[in-house]
């Protein structure tokens, strides 16, 4: 199983809503990532978790709050988002953050903030 | 056909031709590189990787070349097929970068039947 599963696939939310994106992998990977991708642009790193601890926060606004409940799950909690936060949110995992092995990506959650 | 990465973000080739997609990376401390393929509406899909102690690696119909002197990476696709149409990203990582996998700007490959 080399799959990273993200739910939901699509999400529309208002600026006052609270929602969560979910990501799951069962490859035994110890590093998990959140990326944000705008149309026709490369994925931009937001957060890195290593062994369930936040190791990198790329100066992401606090309206995005990551959580790693266990080694297989990664959540991204959203609150008071802005329309410019509309994007494809990608989750990825790799064997470990400090080993040079490939990162596997999920299909993403297409988020629209209205 | 050949792209120059940042300056020519689109590449159009005829089916059956070979494609070359280029990428200039920025960090001389990067020691691991990956090429990803991203189709419309999907997440990036791993194609091939290369470590900095190598200058060439081959997969099925794909070859990655690494030139550390000029910080340049290329992806060669042999006998390009319509199913190869996608955006291709290079990504780099370094041991001193705390696990960050950083993506280049991407090249959109369009294969004409």
């Amino acid at each position: 199983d080399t799959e990273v599963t993200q739910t939901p696939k699509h999400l529309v939310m208002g600026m006052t809503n609270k929602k969560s994106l979910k990501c799951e992998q069962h490859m035994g990977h110890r590093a998990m990532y959140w990326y944000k991708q705008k149309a026709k642009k490369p994925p931009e790193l937001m957060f890195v978790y290593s062994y369930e601890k936040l190791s990198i926060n790329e100066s992401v606004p606090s309206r995005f709050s990551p959580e790693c409940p266990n080694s297989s799950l990664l959540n991204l909690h959203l609150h008071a988002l802005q329309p410019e936060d509309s994007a494809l949110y990608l989750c990825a995992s790799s064997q470990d953050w400090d080993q040079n092995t490939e990162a596997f990506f999920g299909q993403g959650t297409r988020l629209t903030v209205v | 056909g050949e792209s120059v990465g940042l300056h020519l973000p689109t590449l159009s080739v005829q089916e059956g031709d070979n494609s070359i997609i280029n990428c200039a990376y920025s960090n001389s401390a990067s020691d691991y590189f990956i090429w990803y393929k991203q189709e419309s509406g999907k997440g990036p899909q791993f194609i091939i990787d290369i470590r900095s102690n190598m200058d060439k690696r081959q997969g099925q119909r794909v070859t990655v070349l690494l030139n550390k002197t000029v910080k340049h990476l290329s992806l060669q696709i042999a006998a390009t097929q319509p199913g190869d149409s996608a955006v291709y990203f290079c990504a780099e990582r370094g041991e001193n970068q705390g696990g960050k996998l950083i993506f280049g700007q991407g090249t959109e490959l369009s294969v004409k039947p």
Side-chain angles (χ1 to χ4, degrees), chain B residues 10-59:
Chain B
T10 59
L11 175 64
S12 184
V13 301
Q14 204 68 38
E15 181 179 359
D17 286 352
N18 296 333
S19 303
I20 300 174
I21 300 171
N22 295 299
C23 177
Y25 64 93
S26 55
N27 191 338
S28 56
S30 292
D31 56 8
Y32 179 62
F33 305 89
I34 307 176
W35 279 102
Y36 284 96
K37 172 186 180 183
Q38 188 174 24
E39 296 173 278
S40 181
K42 296 187 177 181
Q45 178 188 358
F46 171 87
I47 302 173
I48 192 168
D49 60 1
I50 189 167
R51 289 170 173 75
S52 60
N53 60 352
M54 304 171 71
D55 51 22
K56 180 180 180 178
R57 189 156 189 237
Q58 288 184 290

Coordinates of all heavy atoms in Angstrom, one line a residue, chain B residues 10-59:
Chain B
T10 N 6.1 25.8 -20.8 CA 5.3 24.9 -21.6 C 6.2 24.3 -22.6 O 7.1 24.9 -23.2 CB 4.1 25.5 -22.2 OG1 4.6 26.6 -23.1 CG2 3.2 26.1 -21.2
L11 N 6.0 23.0 -22.9 CA 6.7 22.2 -23.9 C 5.7 21.4 -24.7 O 5.0 20.6 -24.1 CB 7.7 21.3 -23.2 CG 8.5 20.4 -24.1 CD1 9.4 21.1 -25.1 CD2 9.4 19.4 -23.3
S12 N 5.7 21.6 -26.0 CA 4.8 20.8 -26.8 C 5.7 19.9 -27.7 O 6.6 20.4 -28.4 CB 4.0 21.8 -27.7 OG 3.1 21.0 -28.4
V13 N 5.4 18.6 -27.7 CA 6.1 17.7 -28.5 C 5.2 16.8 -29.3 O 4.0 16.6 -28.9 CB 7.1 16.8 -27.7 CG1 8.1 17.6 -26.9 CG2 6.3 15.9 -26.7
Q14 N 5.7 16.2 -30.4 CA 4.9 15.2 -31.2 C 5.0 13.8 -30.5 O 6.0 13.5 -30.0 CB 5.5 15.2 -32.6 CG 4.5 14.7 -33.6 CD 3.4 15.7 -33.9 OE1 3.6 16.9 -33.9 NE2 2.2 15.2 -34.1
E15 N 3.9 13.1 -30.5 CA 3.9 11.7 -30.0 C 5.0 10.9 -30.7 O 5.2 11.0 -31.9 CB 2.5 11.1 -30.3 CG 2.4 9.7 -29.8 CD 1.1 9.0 -30.1 OE1 0.2 9.7 -30.6 OE2 0.8 7.9 -29.7
G16 N 5.8 10.2 -29.9 CA 6.8 9.4 -30.4 C 8.2 10.1 -30.3 O 9.2 9.4 -30.3
D17 N 8.2 11.4 -30.2 CA 9.5 12.2 -30.0 C 10.0 12.0 -28.6 O 9.2 11.6 -27.7 CB 9.3 13.6 -30.3 CG 9.1 13.9 -31.8 OD1 9.3 12.9 -32.6 OD2 8.8 15.0 -32.2
N18 N 11.2 12.3 -28.4 CA 11.8 12.4 -27.1 C 11.6 13.8 -26.5 O 11.6 14.8 -27.2 CB 13.3 12.1 -27.1 CG 13.6 10.7 -27.5 OD1 12.7 9.8 -27.4 ND2 14.7 10.4 -28.1
S19 N 11.4 13.9 -25.2 CA 11.2 15.2 -24.5 C 12.3 15.4 -23.5 O 12.8 14.4 -22.9 CB 9.8 15.2 -23.7 OG 8.8 14.9 -24.6
I20 N 12.7 16.6 -23.3 CA 13.7 17.0 -22.3 C 13.1 18.1 -21.5 O 12.8 19.2 -22.1 CB 15.0 17.4 -22.9 CG1 15.6 16.2 -23.8 CG2 16.0 17.8 -21.8 CD1 16.9 16.6 -24.5
I21 N 13.0 17.9 -20.2 CA 12.5 18.9 -19.3 C 13.6 19.3 -18.4 O 14.3 18.5 -17.8 CB 11.3 18.4 -18.5 CG1 10.2 18.0 -19.5 CG2 10.8 19.5 -17.6 CD1 9.0 17.3 -18.8
N22 N 13.9 20.6 -18.3 CA 15.0 21.1 -17.5 C 14.6 21.8 -16.2 O 13.5 22.3 -16.1 CB 15.8 22.1 -18.3 CG 16.4 21.5 -19.6 OD1 17.2 20.5 -19.4 ND2 16.0 21.9 -20.7
C23 N 15.5 21.8 -15.3 CA 15.2 22.4 -14.0 C 16.6 22.9 -13.4 O 17.6 22.2 -13.4 CB 14.6 21.3 -13.0 SG 14.4 21.9 -11.4
A24 N 16.5 24.2 -13.0 CA 17.7 24.8 -12.4 C 17.4 24.9 -10.9 O 16.4 25.5 -10.5 CB 18.0 26.2 -12.9
Y25 N 18.2 24.2 -10.1 CA 17.9 24.3 -8.6 C 18.8 25.3 -7.9 O 19.8 25.7 -8.5 CB 18.0 22.9 -8.0 CG 19.4 22.3 -8.0 CD1 20.3 22.4 -6.9 CD2 19.8 21.5 -9.1 CE1 21.5 21.8 -6.9 CE2 21.0 20.9 -9.1 CZ 21.9 21.0 -8.0 OH 23.1 20.4 -8.0
S26 N 18.4 25.7 -6.7 CA 19.0 26.9 -6.2 C 20.0 26.6 -5.1 O 21.0 27.3 -4.9 CB 17.9 27.8 -5.6 OG 17.1 27.1 -4.7
N27 N 19.9 25.5 -4.4 CA 20.7 25.2 -3.2 C 21.8 24.3 -3.4 O 21.5 23.1 -3.7 CB 19.7 24.7 -2.0 CG 20.4 24.7 -0.7 OD1 21.7 24.7 -0.6 ND2 19.7 24.7 0.4
S28 N 23.0 24.7 -3.3 CA 24.1 23.9 -3.6 C 24.3 22.8 -2.6 O 25.0 21.8 -2.8 CB 25.4 24.7 -3.7 OG 25.6 25.4 -2.5
A29 N 23.6 22.9 -1.4 CA 23.7 21.9 -0.4 C 22.6 20.8 -0.6 O 22.6 19.8 0.1 CB 23.4 22.5 1.0
S30 N 21.8 20.9 -1.6 CA 20.8 19.9 -1.9 C 21.5 18.7 -2.4 O 22.4 18.7 -3.2 CB 19.8 20.4 -2.9 OG 19.0 21.4 -2.4
D31 N 21.1 17.5 -1.8 CA 21.8 16.3 -2.2 C 20.8 15.2 -2.7 O 21.2 14.0 -2.8 CB 22.7 15.8 -1.1 CG 21.9 15.6 0.2 OD1 20.6 15.7 0.2 OD2 22.5 15.3 1.2
Y32 N 19.5 15.5 -2.8 CA 18.6 14.5 -3.3 C 17.5 15.3 -4.1 O 17.1 16.3 -3.7 CB 17.9 13.9 -2.1 CG 16.9 12.9 -2.4 CD1 17.2 11.7 -3.1 CD2 15.6 13.0 -2.0 CE1 16.2 10.7 -3.4 CE2 14.6 12.1 -2.2 CZ 14.9 10.9 -2.9 OH 14.0 10.0 -3.2
F33 N 17.2 14.7 -5.3 CA 16.3 15.3 -6.2 C 15.3 14.3 -6.7 O 15.6 13.1 -6.9 CB 17.2 15.8 -7.4 CG 18.3 16.8 -7.0 CD1 19.5 16.2 -6.7 CD2 18.1 18.1 -6.9 CE1 20.6 17.0 -6.3 CE2 19.1 19.0 -6.5 CZ 20.3 18.4 -6.2
I34 N 14.1 14.8 -6.9 CA 13.0 14.0 -7.4 C 12.3 14.7 -8.5 O 12.1 15.9 -8.5 CB 12.0 13.8 -6.3 CG1 12.6 13.2 -5.0 CG2 10.9 12.8 -6.7 CD1 11.6 13.1 -3.8
W35 N 11.8 13.9 -9.5 CA 10.9 14.4 -10.5 C 9.5 13.9 -10.2 O 9.4 12.7 -10.0 CB 11.4 14.0 -11.9 CG 12.5 14.8 -12.5 CD1 13.8 14.5 -12.6 CD2 12.3 16.1 -13.1 NE1 14.5 15.6 -13.2 CE2 13.6 16.6 -13.5 CE3 11.2 17.0 -13.4 CZ2 13.8 17.8 -14.2 CZ3 11.4 18.2 -14.0 CH2 12.7 18.6 -14.4
Y36 N 8.6 14.8 -10.3 CA 7.2 14.4 -10.1 C 6.4 14.8 -11.3 O 6.7 15.8 -12.0 CB 6.6 15.2 -8.9 CG 6.9 14.7 -7.5 CD1 8.0 15.2 -6.8 CD2 6.3 13.6 -7.0 CE1 8.3 14.7 -5.6 CE2 6.6 13.1 -5.7 CZ 7.6 13.7 -5.0 OH 8.0 13.2 -3.8
K37 N 5.4 14.0 -11.6 CA 4.4 14.3 -12.7 C 3.1 14.6 -12.0 O 2.6 13.9 -11.1 CB 4.3 13.0 -13.6 CG 3.2 13.1 -14.6 CD 3.0 11.7 -15.3 CE 1.9 11.8 -16.4 NZ 1.8 10.4 -17.0
Q38 N 2.5 15.7 -12.4 CA 1.1 16.0 -11.9 C 0.1 16.2 -13.0 O 0.3 17.2 -13.8 CB 1.2 17.3 -11.0 CG -0.1 17.6 -10.2 CD 0.0 18.7 -9.3 OE1 0.9 19.6 -9.4 NE2 -0.8 18.7 -8.2
E39 N -0.9 15.4 -13.0 CA -1.9 15.5 -14.0 C -3.0 16.4 -13.4 O -3.1 16.5 -12.2 CB -2.5 14.1 -14.3 CG -1.4 13.2 -15.0 CD -1.9 11.8 -15.2 OE1 -1.8 11.0 -14.3 OE2 -2.4 11.5 -16.3
S40 N -3.8 16.9 -14.3 CA -4.9 17.8 -13.8 C -5.8 17.2 -12.8 O -6.3 16.1 -13.0 CB -5.7 18.3 -15.1 OG -6.7 19.2 -14.7
G41 N -5.9 17.9 -11.7 CA -6.8 17.5 -10.6 C -6.3 16.4 -9.7 O -7.0 15.8 -8.9
K42 N -5.0 16.1 -9.9 CA -4.4 15.0 -9.1 C -3.2 15.5 -8.3 O -2.7 16.6 -8.6 CB -4.0 13.8 -10.0 CG -5.1 13.2 -10.7 CD -4.7 11.9 -11.4 CE -5.8 11.2 -12.1 NZ -5.4 10.0 -12.8
G43 N -2.8 14.7 -7.4 CA -1.5 15.0 -6.6 C -0.3 14.7 -7.4 O -0.4 13.9 -8.4
P44 N 0.9 15.2 -7.0 CA 2.1 14.8 -7.7 C 2.4 13.4 -7.6 O 2.2 12.8 -6.5 CB 3.2 15.7 -7.0 CG 2.4 16.8 -6.4 CD 1.1 16.2 -6.0
Q45 N 2.9 12.8 -8.7 CA 3.2 11.3 -8.7 C 4.7 11.2 -8.9 O 5.3 11.8 -9.8 CB 2.4 10.7 -9.8 CG 2.7 9.2 -10.0 CD 2.0 8.7 -11.3 OE1 1.3 9.4 -12.0 NE2 2.2 7.5 -11.6
F46 N 5.3 10.4 -8.1 CA 6.8 10.2 -8.2 C 7.1 9.5 -9.5 O 6.5 8.6 -9.9 CB 7.2 9.3 -7.0 CG 8.6 8.8 -7.1 CD1 9.6 9.5 -6.6 CD2 8.9 7.5 -7.7 CE1 11.0 9.1 -6.7 CE2 10.2 7.1 -7.8 CZ 11.2 7.8 -7.2
I47 N 8.2 10.0 -10.2 CA 8.6 9.4 -11.4 C 10.0 8.8 -11.2 O 10.2 7.6 -11.4 CB 8.8 10.5 -12.5 CG1 7.5 11.2 -12.8 CG2 9.3 9.8 -13.8 CD1 7.7 12.4 -13.8
I48 N 11.0 9.6 -10.7 CA 12.3 9.0 -10.6 C 13.1 10.0 -9.6 O 12.7 11.2 -9.5 CB 13.0 8.9 -12.0 CG1 14.3 8.1 -11.8 CG2 13.2 10.3 -12.6 CD1 14.9 7.7 -13.2
D49 N 14.1 9.4 -9.0 CA 14.9 10.3 -8.1 C 16.4 10.0 -8.4 O 16.7 9.1 -9.1 CB 14.6 10.0 -6.6 CG 14.8 8.6 -6.2 OD1 15.2 7.7 -7.0 OD2 14.5 8.2 -5.0
I50 N 17.2 10.9 -7.8 CA 18.6 10.8 -8.0 C 19.3 11.4 -6.8 O 18.9 12.5 -6.3 CB 19.1 11.4 -9.3 CG1 20.6 11.1 -9.6 CG2 18.9 12.9 -9.4 CD1 21.0 11.3 -11.0
R51 N 20.4 10.8 -6.3 CA 21.1 11.4 -5.2 C 22.4 12.1 -5.8 O 22.8 11.8 -6.9 CB 21.5 10.3 -4.3 CG 20.4 9.7 -3.5 CD 20.6 8.5 -2.7 NE 19.5 8.1 -1.8 CZ 18.4 7.6 -2.2 NH1 18.2 7.3 -3.5 NH2 17.4 7.3 -1.4
S52 N 22.9 12.9 -5.0 CA 24.0 13.8 -5.5 C 25.3 13.1 -5.8 O 26.2 13.7 -6.5 CB 24.3 15.0 -4.5 OG 24.7 14.4 -3.3
N53 N 25.4 11.8 -5.4 CA 26.6 11.1 -5.7 C 26.5 10.4 -7.1 O 27.4 9.6 -7.5 CB 26.9 10.0 -4.6 CG 25.8 9.0 -4.4 OD1 24.7 9.2 -5.0 ND2 26.1 8.0 -3.6
M54 N 25.4 10.7 -7.8 CA 25.2 10.1 -9.1 C 25.0 11.3 -10.1 O 24.6 12.4 -9.7 CB 24.0 9.2 -9.2 CG 24.0 8.1 -8.2 SD 22.4 7.3 -8.1 CE 22.5 6.4 -9.6
D55 N 25.3 11.0 -11.4 CA 25.0 12.1 -12.4 C 24.0 11.6 -13.4 O 23.5 12.4 -14.2 CB 26.3 12.6 -13.1 CG 27.1 11.4 -13.7 OD1 26.5 10.3 -13.9 OD2 28.3 11.6 -13.9
K56 N 23.6 10.3 -13.3 CA 22.6 9.8 -14.3 C 21.9 8.6 -13.6 O 22.5 7.8 -12.9 CB 23.3 9.4 -15.5 CG 22.4 8.8 -16.6 CD 23.2 8.4 -17.8 CE 22.3 7.9 -18.9 NZ 23.0 7.5 -20.2
R57 N 20.6 8.6 -13.9 CA 19.8 7.4 -13.4 C 18.7 7.2 -14.4 O 18.1 8.1 -14.9 CB 19.2 7.7 -12.0 CG 18.6 6.5 -11.4 CD 18.5 6.6 -9.9 NE 18.1 5.3 -9.4 CZ 17.1 5.1 -8.6 NH1 16.3 6.2 -8.3 NH2 16.8 3.9 -8.1
Q58 N 18.5 5.9 -14.7 CA 17.5 5.5 -15.7 C 16.4 4.7 -15.1 O 16.6 3.9 -14.2 CB 18.2 4.7 -16.8 CG 19.1 5.6 -17.7 CD 19.6 4.8 -18.9 OE1 20.5 3.9 -18.7 NE2 19.2 5.1 -20.1
G59 N 15.2 5.0 -15.6 CA 14.0 4.2 -15.3 C 13.4 3.7 -16.6 O 14.0 3.7 -17.6

